[in-house]
Amino acid sequence: MRGSYSVPYAKRGTILGAAEVAALEDVVASDDALTMGAWRERFEERFARHVGARHALSVTSGTVALELAIHLLDLQPGDEVVVTPQTFQATAQPLLGSPARVRFCDVQPESLNMDPVVLKSLVNERTRAILLVHYGGWSADMDEIMAIARERGITVIEDCAHALGARYDGRRPGSLGDIGCFSFHSAKNISTLGEGGMLTFDRDDWAERIDRLRSNEIDGVLTAVPEPTAPAPELLPWMKFTSGAYERVVSEFRRPGTNATLSEAAAAVGLVQMDRLDTLVARRRAIAARLDEVVAAHPYTRVQRPRPGIQHAQHLYTCFLDGPDGARERLVHGLNSRGVEVQLRYFPLHLLPEWQQRGHGTGECPVAEHLWFHEHVNLPCHPGLSDAQVDHLVNALDEALAEALAPAADAQPVGAARG
Ligand SMILES: *Cc1c(COP(=O)(O)O)cnc(C)c1O
C-alpha cells in the first residue's frame, strides 16, 4: 500500500517550482565556485532577518545543526540536560555521545510541547541546558520556560525543525531561546533541494566557533604567541593561513572541525523558498482548519487550538481521539483503507532502545506515553496536496471518524460494516 495512497502523508518528489529552477540556472551559469559564495551569504542574511537573530549559519542538515549546538555547551560529566520526549529522534541523539545526564520532561496534553510545570521540577544546580521542540509548528511556552532557564543560567536550545513560519506573540521561534536549529529536509516547511539546516543565535563567539567547525577548522582557543615558533617564509600577502600557523597556538582544543557547508545551489533555492514561506505556511494552515472542522464535529475528539498570539506553522497536523476501546485503531484502519496515509509522530524518545539502555523507560513521561499509545493521530497536511486530495481527505476523515465511533462498529469488523 505504501506509495500508492490517494493522500500520501508527505509529498513524494518536490514542491519546488519555476522560480527555484531559475535560481538554479543562475547558479550554474555563474563563474563562481559552487560553494561558500554569495548565495549562502544572502540566504543566511535573509534568514537571520526573518527569525530576528543576530546570526544565522547554514549547515547541511537539521541534525548537524543540533549536533553543533549541543557541542557549543561543552558538556562535562555531572552536567544535566532536560529534553522533550515527544520529537524526532535527531533532537536528542547527539546527547548519546555526551557525558551529560539526560532527563526527559513530560509534555502538555494539547500542544505536545515540554510542560513548564514538569520542567520546573526537573531543573537543579547541575542543569546546563534545556532542549525542546516546537512540536508540529506550535511554539512551546517560551515565556515560562525562559523564566525558569534565566533564573539558573541554563542555555535553551530550540529545535525549530517544524517551526519556520510560526509566531509567538509577534516573535519567531529561533529567537526565543539561546540557539535555534532549523531543518530544510524535503518534507519541512521550506526545503533547500532536499537537505539543509541552519543555526540561529545572537552570540558573536558562537558564530566564530560554528563558522570554524563547519569549514574543517578546529574548535579551540587560539592565542597569539609573542615570538613565532619558526621563522615564517616570505609569502604573498594573502597566504595568511600559512603565516597564521607560525603566529598562533591552540591553548585549549575542543573538537575537530567537519565539512557541513551548504552548497550554493541549495542556498539559492532556500532564498527563493523564503519568498514563498508565507504562502506555503498559509496553505498548511488552511488545510489544518478544514481538518479541525471535521474532527471537532465528532464526539471524543480533541483538536489543537493554540491561544491567540501563537501562530501554528502546521508542519504536522495532530488530533486526538479518546473514544470507546479501539476507536483510535479503527480510525487509523478506516483512513488507511480510504487511501489516506496516517502517521503517529513521534514514538516517545525515552522508550527507544538506546535510551532504555541508559536507564530510561515506561512511566517517566506518562502524558506523552498515554497519548502516543492511545489517542494521538497525525494526518497529511502539506502544500503538496491538491484541492481534490484535500477534499478526499476531509470526506475520508468524516466517514472514518463516524465509523470508528459508531456503536455497531464495536460488534462488526470495520470492513464488513462498509459492505
Ligand atoms: C527533521 C527533524 C530534525 C532533523 O533534521 P534533518 O534536516 O532531517 O537532519 C530534527 N528535529 C526534528 C523535530 C525534525 O522534525
Side-chain angles (χ1 to χ4, degrees), residues 291-322:
L291 296 175
D292 273 354
E293 210 179 305
V294 174
V295 174
H298 290 268
Y300 303 108
T301 59
R302 296 195 314 283
V303 295
Q304 291 196 315
R305 289 226 161 98
R307 66 165 170 79
I310 292 186
Q311 177 175 294
H312 201 313
Q314 299 292 170
H315 172 66
L316 303 178
Y317 179 83
T318 308
C319 61
F320 307 94
L321 183 60
D322 179 19

PDB file of all heavy atoms in Angstrom, residues 291-322:
ATOM      1  N   LEU A 291      -9.506  20.365   8.418  1.00  0.00           N
ATOM      2  CA  LEU A 291      -9.464  19.107   9.185  1.00  0.00           C
ATOM      3  C   LEU A 291     -10.025  19.326  10.592  1.00  0.00           C
ATOM      4  O   LEU A 291     -10.784  18.499  11.098  1.00  0.00           O
ATOM      5  CB  LEU A 291      -8.025  18.577   9.246  1.00  0.00           C
ATOM      6  CG  LEU A 291      -7.410  18.180   7.895  1.00  0.00           C
ATOM      7  CD1 LEU A 291      -5.938  17.790   8.058  1.00  0.00           C
ATOM      8  CD2 LEU A 291      -8.196  17.033   7.259  1.00  0.00           C
ATOM      9  N   ASP A 292      -9.658  20.455  11.209  1.00  0.00           N
ATOM     10  CA  ASP A 292     -10.165  20.776  12.557  1.00  0.00           C
ATOM     11  C   ASP A 292     -11.690  20.768  12.586  1.00  0.00           C
ATOM     12  O   ASP A 292     -12.303  20.274  13.521  1.00  0.00           O
ATOM     13  CB  ASP A 292      -9.693  22.180  12.982  1.00  0.00           C
ATOM     14  CG  ASP A 292      -8.324  22.156  13.658  1.00  0.00           C
ATOM     15  OD1 ASP A 292      -7.793  21.044  13.898  1.00  0.00           O
ATOM     16  OD2 ASP A 292      -7.790  23.251  13.941  1.00  0.00           O
ATOM     17  N   GLU A 293     -12.266  21.368  11.536  1.00  0.00           N
ATOM     18  CA  GLU A 293     -13.717  21.488  11.478  1.00  0.00           C
ATOM     19  C   GLU A 293     -14.365  20.092  11.495  1.00  0.00           C
ATOM     20  O   GLU A 293     -15.336  19.864  12.214  1.00  0.00           O
ATOM     21  CB  GLU A 293     -14.071  22.216  10.180  1.00  0.00           C
ATOM     22  CG  GLU A 293     -15.332  23.035  10.230  1.00  0.00           C
ATOM     23  CD  GLU A 293     -15.549  23.729   8.901  1.00  0.00           C
ATOM     24  OE1 GLU A 293     -14.620  24.453   8.445  1.00  0.00           O
ATOM     25  OE2 GLU A 293     -16.612  23.511   8.310  1.00  0.00           O
ATOM     26  N   VAL A 294     -13.812  19.176  10.703  1.00  0.00           N
ATOM     27  CA  VAL A 294     -14.363  17.814  10.636  1.00  0.00           C
ATOM     28  C   VAL A 294     -14.155  17.093  11.969  1.00  0.00           C
ATOM     29  O   VAL A 294     -15.093  16.496  12.507  1.00  0.00           O
ATOM     30  CB  VAL A 294     -13.671  17.012   9.499  1.00  0.00           C
ATOM     31  CG1 VAL A 294     -14.123  15.559   9.515  1.00  0.00           C
ATOM     32  CG2 VAL A 294     -13.942  17.657   8.157  1.00  0.00           C
ATOM     33  N   VAL A 295     -12.946  17.173  12.501  1.00  0.00           N
ATOM     34  CA  VAL A 295     -12.631  16.438  13.733  1.00  0.00           C
ATOM     35  C   VAL A 295     -13.513  16.929  14.878  1.00  0.00           C
ATOM     36  O   VAL A 295     -14.107  16.137  15.610  1.00  0.00           O
ATOM     37  CB  VAL A 295     -11.128  16.604  14.097  1.00  0.00           C
ATOM     38  CG1 VAL A 295     -10.833  15.977  15.456  1.00  0.00           C
ATOM     39  CG2 VAL A 295     -10.255  15.971  13.022  1.00  0.00           C
ATOM     40  N   ALA A 296     -13.629  18.265  14.995  1.00  0.00           N
ATOM     41  CA  ALA A 296     -14.354  18.839  16.134  1.00  0.00           C
ATOM     42  C   ALA A 296     -15.852  18.525  16.084  1.00  0.00           C
ATOM     43  O   ALA A 296     -16.540  18.613  17.106  1.00  0.00           O
ATOM     44  CB  ALA A 296     -14.126  20.348  16.177  1.00  0.00           C
ATOM     45  N   ALA A 297     -16.350  18.136  14.915  1.00  0.00           N
ATOM     46  CA  ALA A 297     -17.776  17.821  14.788  1.00  0.00           C
ATOM     47  C   ALA A 297     -18.106  16.434  15.350  1.00  0.00           C
ATOM     48  O   ALA A 297     -19.275  16.085  15.483  1.00  0.00           O
ATOM     49  CB  ALA A 297     -18.201  17.911  13.328  1.00  0.00           C
ATOM     50  N   HIS A 298     -17.094  15.646  15.689  1.00  0.00           N
ATOM     51  CA  HIS A 298     -17.329  14.300  16.217  1.00  0.00           C
ATOM     52  C   HIS A 298     -17.055  14.259  17.716  1.00  0.00           C
ATOM     53  O   HIS A 298     -16.193  14.998  18.213  1.00  0.00           O
ATOM     54  CB  HIS A 298     -16.422  13.297  15.501  1.00  0.00           C
ATOM     55  CG  HIS A 298     -16.810  13.080  14.074  1.00  0.00           C
ATOM     56  ND1 HIS A 298     -17.676  12.078  13.675  1.00  0.00           N
ATOM     57  CD2 HIS A 298     -16.483  13.765  12.942  1.00  0.00           C
ATOM     58  CE1 HIS A 298     -17.846  12.143  12.363  1.00  0.00           C
ATOM     59  NE2 HIS A 298     -17.135  13.161  11.890  1.00  0.00           N
ATOM     60  N   PRO A 299     -17.788  13.410  18.441  1.00  0.00           N
ATOM     61  CA  PRO A 299     -17.542  13.289  19.884  1.00  0.00           C
ATOM     62  C   PRO A 299     -16.205  12.601  20.159  1.00  0.00           C
ATOM     63  O   PRO A 299     -15.633  11.984  19.245  1.00  0.00           O
ATOM     64  CB  PRO A 299     -18.709  12.430  20.369  1.00  0.00           C
ATOM     65  CG  PRO A 299     -19.130  11.640  19.169  1.00  0.00           C
ATOM     66  CD  PRO A 299     -18.850  12.496  17.979  1.00  0.00           C
ATOM     67  N   TYR A 300     -15.731  12.693  21.378  1.00  0.00           N
ATOM     68  CA  TYR A 300     -14.500  12.022  21.852  1.00  0.00           C
ATOM     69  C   TYR A 300     -13.228  12.543  21.180  1.00  0.00           C
ATOM     70  O   TYR A 300     -12.181  11.917  21.267  1.00  0.00           O
ATOM     71  CB  TYR A 300     -14.545  10.497  21.633  1.00  0.00           C
ATOM     72  CG  TYR A 300     -15.704   9.787  22.273  1.00  0.00           C
ATOM     73  CD1 TYR A 300     -16.740   9.286  21.491  1.00  0.00           C
ATOM     74  CD2 TYR A 300     -15.749   9.592  23.657  1.00  0.00           C
ATOM     75  CE1 TYR A 300     -17.806   8.606  22.070  1.00  0.00           C
ATOM     76  CE2 TYR A 300     -16.809   8.920  24.241  1.00  0.00           C
ATOM     77  CZ  TYR A 300     -17.842   8.435  23.439  1.00  0.00           C
ATOM     78  OH  TYR A 300     -18.876   7.775  24.015  1.00  0.00           O
ATOM     79  N   THR A 301     -13.325  13.660  20.444  1.00  0.00           N
ATOM     80  CA  THR A 301     -12.135  14.150  19.733  1.00  0.00           C
ATOM     81  C   THR A 301     -11.594  15.419  20.392  1.00  0.00           C
ATOM     82  O   THR A 301     -12.323  16.119  21.092  1.00  0.00           O
ATOM     83  CB  THR A 301     -12.465  14.514  18.270  1.00  0.00           C
ATOM     84  OG1 THR A 301     -13.465  15.519  18.269  1.00  0.00           O
ATOM     85  CG2 THR A 301     -12.923  13.299  17.501  1.00  0.00           C
ATOM     86  N   ARG A 302     -10.334  15.691  20.153  1.00  0.00           N
ATOM     87  CA  ARG A 302      -9.740  16.981  20.517  1.00  0.00           C
ATOM     88  C   ARG A 302      -8.864  17.450  19.363  1.00  0.00           C
ATOM     89  O   ARG A 302      -8.164  16.649  18.751  1.00  0.00           O
ATOM     90  CB  ARG A 302      -8.880  16.866  21.792  1.00  0.00           C
ATOM     91  CG  ARG A 302      -9.658  16.488  23.050  1.00  0.00           C
ATOM     92  CD  ARG A 302      -8.858  16.745  24.329  1.00  0.00           C
ATOM     93  NE  ARG A 302      -7.491  16.261  24.265  1.00  0.00           N
ATOM     94  CZ  ARG A 302      -7.135  14.987  24.382  1.00  0.00           C
ATOM     95  NH1 ARG A 302      -8.055  14.046  24.550  1.00  0.00           N
ATOM     96  NH2 ARG A 302      -5.871  14.647  24.334  1.00  0.00           N
ATOM     97  N   VAL A 303      -8.934  18.759  19.085  1.00  0.00           N
ATOM     98  CA  VAL A 303      -8.035  19.344  18.083  1.00  0.00           C
ATOM     99  C   VAL A 303      -7.061  20.261  18.809  1.00  0.00           C
ATOM    100  O   VAL A 303      -7.267  20.611  19.965  1.00  0.00           O
ATOM    101  CB  VAL A 303      -8.815  20.135  17.002  1.00  0.00           C
ATOM    102  CG1 VAL A 303      -9.693  19.206  16.193  1.00  0.00           C
ATOM    103  CG2 VAL A 303      -9.639  21.256  17.634  1.00  0.00           C
ATOM    104  N   GLN A 304      -6.004  20.661  18.113  1.00  0.00           N
ATOM    105  CA  GLN A 304      -5.030  21.585  18.699  1.00  0.00           C
ATOM    106  C   GLN A 304      -5.515  23.022  18.489  1.00  0.00           C
ATOM    107  O   GLN A 304      -5.763  23.434  17.358  1.00  0.00           O
ATOM    108  CB  GLN A 304      -3.674  21.412  18.025  1.00  0.00           C
ATOM    109  CG  GLN A 304      -3.007  20.092  18.353  1.00  0.00           C
ATOM    110  CD  GLN A 304      -1.520  20.120  17.995  1.00  0.00           C
ATOM    111  OE1 GLN A 304      -1.141  20.581  16.925  1.00  0.00           O
ATOM    112  NE2 GLN A 304      -0.685  19.620  18.888  1.00  0.00           N
ATOM    113  N   ARG A 305      -5.645  23.770  19.585  1.00  0.00           N
ATOM    114  CA  ARG A 305      -6.066  25.182  19.474  1.00  0.00           C
ATOM    115  C   ARG A 305      -5.138  26.069  20.287  1.00  0.00           C
ATOM    116  O   ARG A 305      -5.397  26.322  21.461  1.00  0.00           O
ATOM    117  CB  ARG A 305      -7.498  25.350  20.015  1.00  0.00           C
ATOM    118  CG  ARG A 305      -8.544  24.740  19.126  1.00  0.00           C
ATOM    119  CD  ARG A 305      -9.721  25.672  18.917  1.00  0.00           C
ATOM    120  NE  ARG A 305     -10.447  25.235  17.725  1.00  0.00           N
ATOM    121  CZ  ARG A 305     -11.543  24.475  17.733  1.00  0.00           C
ATOM    122  NH1 ARG A 305     -12.050  24.143  18.785  1.00  0.00           N
ATOM    123  NH2 ARG A 305     -12.121  24.091  16.631  1.00  0.00           N
ATOM    124  N   PRO A 306      -4.073  26.573  19.667  1.00  0.00           N
ATOM    125  CA  PRO A 306      -3.176  27.470  20.404  1.00  0.00           C
ATOM    126  C   PRO A 306      -3.900  28.736  20.847  1.00  0.00           C
ATOM    127  O   PRO A 306      -4.861  29.150  20.203  1.00  0.00           O
ATOM    128  CB  PRO A 306      -2.096  27.821  19.381  1.00  0.00           C
ATOM    129  CG  PRO A 306      -2.230  26.831  18.285  1.00  0.00           C
ATOM    130  CD  PRO A 306      -3.646  26.350  18.287  1.00  0.00           C
ATOM    131  N   ARG A 307      -3.419  29.338  21.926  1.00  0.00           N
ATOM    132  CA  ARG A 307      -4.005  30.604  22.397  1.00  0.00           C
ATOM    133  C   ARG A 307      -3.732  31.692  21.361  1.00  0.00           C
ATOM    134  O   ARG A 307      -2.808  31.575  20.547  1.00  0.00           O
ATOM    135  CB  ARG A 307      -3.404  30.981  23.753  1.00  0.00           C
ATOM    136  CG  ARG A 307      -1.922  31.323  23.703  1.00  0.00           C
ATOM    137  CD  ARG A 307      -1.470  32.030  24.963  1.00  0.00           C
ATOM    138  NE  ARG A 307      -0.023  32.150  25.047  1.00  0.00           N
ATOM    139  CZ  ARG A 307       0.700  33.058  24.401  1.00  0.00           C
ATOM    140  NH1 ARG A 307       0.127  33.912  23.577  1.00  0.00           N
ATOM    141  NH2 ARG A 307       2.015  33.107  24.570  1.00  0.00           N
ATOM    142  N   PRO A 308      -4.542  32.788  21.395  1.00  0.00           N
ATOM    143  CA  PRO A 308      -4.256  33.898  20.479  1.00  0.00           C
ATOM    144  C   PRO A 308      -2.820  34.377  20.721  1.00  0.00           C
ATOM    145  O   PRO A 308      -2.346  34.363  21.839  1.00  0.00           O
ATOM    146  CB  PRO A 308      -5.259  34.981  20.905  1.00  0.00           C
ATOM    147  CG  PRO A 308      -6.313  34.286  21.688  1.00  0.00           C
ATOM    148  CD  PRO A 308      -5.683  33.083  22.302  1.00  0.00           C
ATOM    149  N   GLY A 309      -2.134  34.776  19.673  1.00  0.00           N
ATOM    150  CA  GLY A 309      -0.740  35.198  19.834  1.00  0.00           C
ATOM    151  C   GLY A 309       0.219  34.127  19.357  1.00  0.00           C
ATOM    152  O   GLY A 309       1.361  34.414  19.018  1.00  0.00           O
ATOM    153  N   ILE A 310      -0.239  32.879  19.341  1.00  0.00           N
ATOM    154  CA  ILE A 310       0.599  31.791  18.821  1.00  0.00           C
ATOM    155  C   ILE A 310       0.085  31.398  17.442  1.00  0.00           C
ATOM    156  O   ILE A 310      -1.072  30.989  17.304  1.00  0.00           O
ATOM    157  CB  ILE A 310       0.609  30.581  19.777  1.00  0.00           C
ATOM    158  CG1 ILE A 310       1.352  30.955  21.064  1.00  0.00           C
ATOM    159  CG2 ILE A 310       1.242  29.372  19.100  1.00  0.00           C
ATOM    160  CD1 ILE A 310       1.549  29.813  22.030  1.00  0.00           C
ATOM    161  N   GLN A 311       0.936  31.572  16.426  1.00  0.00           N
ATOM    162  CA  GLN A 311       0.564  31.119  15.080  1.00  0.00           C
ATOM    163  C   GLN A 311       1.225  29.780  14.811  1.00  0.00           C
ATOM    164  O   GLN A 311       2.445  29.675  14.762  1.00  0.00           O
ATOM    165  CB  GLN A 311       0.984  32.136  14.023  1.00  0.00           C
ATOM    166  CG  GLN A 311       0.674  31.626  12.618  1.00  0.00           C
ATOM    167  CD  GLN A 311       0.961  32.638  11.529  1.00  0.00           C
ATOM    168  OE1 GLN A 311       0.319  33.680  11.446  1.00  0.00           O
ATOM    169  NE2 GLN A 311       1.935  32.318  10.684  1.00  0.00           N
ATOM    170  N   HIS A 312       0.373  28.767  14.672  1.00  0.00           N
ATOM    171  CA  HIS A 312       0.810  27.393  14.407  1.00  0.00           C
ATOM    172  C   HIS A 312       1.305  27.313  12.962  1.00  0.00           C
ATOM    173  O   HIS A 312       0.599  27.748  12.050  1.00  0.00           O
ATOM    174  CB  HIS A 312      -0.405  26.483  14.608  1.00  0.00           C
ATOM    175  CG  HIS A 312      -0.095  25.047  14.862  1.00  0.00           C
ATOM    176  ND1 HIS A 312       0.803  24.329  14.108  1.00  0.00           N
ATOM    177  CD2 HIS A 312      -0.575  24.178  15.786  1.00  0.00           C
ATOM    178  CE1 HIS A 312       0.853  23.082  14.559  1.00  0.00           C
ATOM    179  NE2 HIS A 312       0.029  22.961  15.588  1.00  0.00           N
ATOM    180  N   ALA A 313       2.495  26.764  12.728  1.00  0.00           N
ATOM    181  CA  ALA A 313       3.003  26.652  11.353  1.00  0.00           C
ATOM    182  C   ALA A 313       2.491  25.392  10.668  1.00  0.00           C
ATOM    183  O   ALA A 313       2.680  25.224   9.461  1.00  0.00           O
ATOM    184  CB  ALA A 313       4.524  26.676  11.344  1.00  0.00           C
ATOM    185  N   GLN A 314       1.836  24.497  11.446  1.00  0.00           N
ATOM    186  CA  GLN A 314       1.228  23.274  10.890  1.00  0.00           C
ATOM    187  C   GLN A 314       2.200  22.452  10.058  1.00  0.00           C
ATOM    188  O   GLN A 314       1.835  21.946   8.994  1.00  0.00           O
ATOM    189  CB  GLN A 314      -0.029  23.608  10.072  1.00  0.00           C
ATOM    190  CG  GLN A 314      -1.115  24.276  10.864  1.00  0.00           C
ATOM    191  CD  GLN A 314      -1.804  23.423  11.927  1.00  0.00           C
ATOM    192  OE1 GLN A 314      -2.552  23.938  12.726  1.00  0.00           O
ATOM    193  NE2 GLN A 314      -1.543  22.117  11.956  1.00  0.00           N
ATOM    194  N   HIS A 315       3.428  22.325  10.538  1.00  0.00           N
ATOM    195  CA  HIS A 315       4.286  21.335   9.893  1.00  0.00           C
ATOM    196  C   HIS A 315       3.644  19.957  10.023  1.00  0.00           C
ATOM    197  O   HIS A 315       3.701  19.134   9.117  1.00  0.00           O
ATOM    198  CB  HIS A 315       5.684  21.323  10.496  1.00  0.00           C
ATOM    199  CG  HIS A 315       6.496  20.184   9.980  1.00  0.00           C
ATOM    200  ND1 HIS A 315       6.880  20.101   8.661  1.00  0.00           N
ATOM    201  CD2 HIS A 315       6.934  19.049  10.566  1.00  0.00           C
ATOM    202  CE1 HIS A 315       7.534  18.966   8.475  1.00  0.00           C
ATOM    203  NE2 HIS A 315       7.582  18.315   9.592  1.00  0.00           N
ATOM    204  N   LEU A 316       3.030  19.715  11.197  1.00  0.00           N
ATOM    205  CA  LEU A 316       2.253  18.499  11.402  1.00  0.00           C
ATOM    206  C   LEU A 316       0.804  18.889  11.670  1.00  0.00           C
ATOM    207  O   LEU A 316       0.540  19.959  12.231  1.00  0.00           O
ATOM    208  CB  LEU A 316       2.768  17.720  12.617  1.00  0.00           C
ATOM    209  CG  LEU A 316       4.236  17.308  12.632  1.00  0.00           C
ATOM    210  CD1 LEU A 316       4.556  16.597  13.949  1.00  0.00           C
ATOM    211  CD2 LEU A 316       4.572  16.406  11.458  1.00  0.00           C
ATOM    212  N   TYR A 317      -0.115  18.003  11.290  1.00  0.00           N
ATOM    213  CA  TYR A 317      -1.488  18.134  11.763  1.00  0.00           C
ATOM    214  C   TYR A 317      -1.738  17.014  12.770  1.00  0.00           C
ATOM    215  O   TYR A 317      -1.609  15.823  12.435  1.00  0.00           O
ATOM    216  CB  TYR A 317      -2.515  18.038  10.627  1.00  0.00           C
ATOM    217  CG  TYR A 317      -3.913  18.155  11.206  1.00  0.00           C
ATOM    218  CD1 TYR A 317      -4.458  19.412  11.462  1.00  0.00           C
ATOM    219  CD2 TYR A 317      -4.635  17.026  11.591  1.00  0.00           C
ATOM    220  CE1 TYR A 317      -5.708  19.528  12.068  1.00  0.00           C
ATOM    221  CE2 TYR A 317      -5.878  17.143  12.200  1.00  0.00           C
ATOM    222  CZ  TYR A 317      -6.406  18.397  12.434  1.00  0.00           C
ATOM    223  OH  TYR A 317      -7.620  18.519  13.054  1.00  0.00           O
ATOM    224  N   THR A 318      -2.081  17.403  13.982  1.00  0.00           N
ATOM    225  CA  THR A 318      -2.263  16.440  15.066  1.00  0.00           C
ATOM    226  C   THR A 318      -3.672  16.568  15.622  1.00  0.00           C
ATOM    227  O   THR A 318      -4.157  17.688  15.830  1.00  0.00           O
ATOM    228  CB  THR A 318      -1.266  16.756  16.204  1.00  0.00           C
ATOM    229  OG1 THR A 318       0.044  16.836  15.650  1.00  0.00           O
ATOM    230  CG2 THR A 318      -1.297  15.676  17.278  1.00  0.00           C
ATOM    231  N   CYS A 319      -4.332  15.426  15.861  1.00  0.00           N
ATOM    232  CA  CYS A 319      -5.585  15.453  16.609  1.00  0.00           C
ATOM    233  C   CYS A 319      -5.613  14.225  17.516  1.00  0.00           C
ATOM    234  O   CYS A 319      -4.733  13.368  17.443  1.00  0.00           O
ATOM    235  CB  CYS A 319      -6.800  15.487  15.681  1.00  0.00           C
ATOM    236  SG  CYS A 319      -6.931  14.063  14.601  1.00  0.00           S
ATOM    237  N   PHE A 320      -6.595  14.193  18.411  1.00  0.00           N
ATOM    238  CA  PHE A 320      -6.654  13.138  19.431  1.00  0.00           C
ATOM    239  C   PHE A 320      -8.044  12.525  19.439  1.00  0.00           C
ATOM    240  O   PHE A 320      -9.045  13.236  19.304  1.00  0.00           O
ATOM    241  CB  PHE A 320      -6.336  13.724  20.808  1.00  0.00           C
ATOM    242  CG  PHE A 320      -5.038  14.487  20.848  1.00  0.00           C
ATOM    243  CD1 PHE A 320      -5.027  15.862  20.663  1.00  0.00           C
ATOM    244  CD2 PHE A 320      -3.838  13.826  21.044  1.00  0.00           C
ATOM    245  CE1 PHE A 320      -3.836  16.576  20.688  1.00  0.00           C
ATOM    246  CE2 PHE A 320      -2.634  14.532  21.065  1.00  0.00           C
ATOM    247  CZ  PHE A 320      -2.627  15.906  20.892  1.00  0.00           C
ATOM    248  N   LEU A 321      -8.089  11.218  19.630  1.00  0.00           N
ATOM    249  CA  LEU A 321      -9.364  10.518  19.722  1.00  0.00           C
ATOM    250  C   LEU A 321      -9.341   9.680  20.994  1.00  0.00           C
ATOM    251  O   LEU A 321      -8.548   8.756  21.139  1.00  0.00           O
ATOM    252  CB  LEU A 321      -9.549   9.615  18.489  1.00  0.00           C
ATOM    253  CG  LEU A 321     -10.874   8.868  18.403  1.00  0.00           C
ATOM    254  CD1 LEU A 321     -12.045   9.835  18.361  1.00  0.00           C
ATOM    255  CD2 LEU A 321     -10.904   7.970  17.173  1.00  0.00           C
ATOM    256  N   ASP A 322     -10.222  10.054  21.934  1.00  0.00           N
ATOM    257  CA  ASP A 322     -10.282   9.386  23.232  1.00  0.00           C
ATOM    258  C   ASP A 322     -11.632   8.674  23.335  1.00  0.00           C
ATOM    259  O   ASP A 322     -12.414   8.923  24.235  1.00  0.00           O
ATOM    260  CB  ASP A 322     -10.130  10.474  24.324  1.00  0.00           C
ATOM    261  CG  ASP A 322     -10.197   9.884  25.716  1.00  0.00           C
ATOM    262  OD1 ASP A 322      -9.998   8.657  25.869  1.00  0.00           O
ATOM    263  OD2 ASP A 322     -10.471  10.657  26.648  1.00  0.00           O
TER     264      ASP A 322
END
